[in-house]
Amino acid sequence: MTLKEILTDGDHFASGIGARLTTIEEGKACAELTVEERHLNAAGVCQGGVYFTLADITFAAVTNSHGPVTVGIQNSITFLKSARLGDTLTAETIEVYNHHRMPFCETRVTNQNNELLCIVTGSAYRKKELFPFDSLM
């Protein structure tokens, strides 16, 4: 089974809101989501948790891409621009620092016009056990 399959099948919340992992490489991953009515908050723009969930699934892909089971321990999100109904969001996470125990990543969420909507930074903790995947994709 691939890491993409494990994360897609295992993250019921992310898949339930329509988040789709599109690419996973060692140290880099992307995911997409199209903003629907169910993603809008009371102000009529994309709810912040949608951005965070999209970023979180790519963060999980990146931090686990090296093999050891890795779990998030801290994240910070900065909202820059609102997404609207029908927008296509893309989250791209890169591993800024590949520490053997506490990697650090940055995620940029953009829309279909490549406008930067938010930035998420976070660190994780690598356990000793290995994630049971055969390949990334």
Side-chain angles (χ1 to χ4, degrees):
M1 184 171 263
T2 69
L3 179 60
K4 181 180 177 185
E5 291 169 332
I6 291 168
L7 293 176
T8 299
D9 295 342
D11 194 324
H12 303 289
F13 185 78
S15 63
I17 68 163
R20 302 171 308 280
L21 277 166
T22 56
T23 60
I24 303 175
E25 301 170 23
E26 195 169 290
K28 181 180 177 183
C30 293
E32 291 183 350
L33 176 140
T34 300
V35 179
E36 301 171 5
E37 289 271 344
R38 64 184 170 147
H39 301 125
L40 302 180
N41 63 20
V45 296
C46 189
Q47 205 272 347
V50 174
Y51 299 97
F52 189 83
T53 300
L54 192 61
D56 188 54
I57 192 73
T58 56
F59 177 81
V62 167
T63 57
N64 284 285
S65 67
H66 300 286
V69 173
T70 308
V71 295
I73 58 171
Q74 182 279 327
N75 282 282
S76 175
I77 188 167
T78 301
F79 299 103
L80 303 170
K81 185 174 181 164
S82 295
R84 309 236 175 236
L85 183 65
D87 283 350
T88 299
L89 308 184
T90 301
E92 180 181 80
T93 298
I94 59 164
E95 194 167 51
V96 175
Y97 185 62
N98 180 20
H99 188 270
H100 69 284
R101 279 282 178 233
M102 294 182 66
F104 182 82
C105 295
E106 178 181 270
T107 304
R108 292 175 173 256
V109 178
T110 57
N111 64 14
Q112 69 278 1
N113 300 317
N114 206 31
E115 297 171 311
L116 185 60
L117 305 178
C118 76
I119 298 173
V120 182
T121 57
S123 54
Y125 177 76
R126 287 205 169 109
K127 297 174 144 191
K128 291 181 181 168
E129 64 189 278
L130 294 178
F131 219 122
F133 58 85
D134 303 317
S135 63
L136 298 178
M137 297 279 296

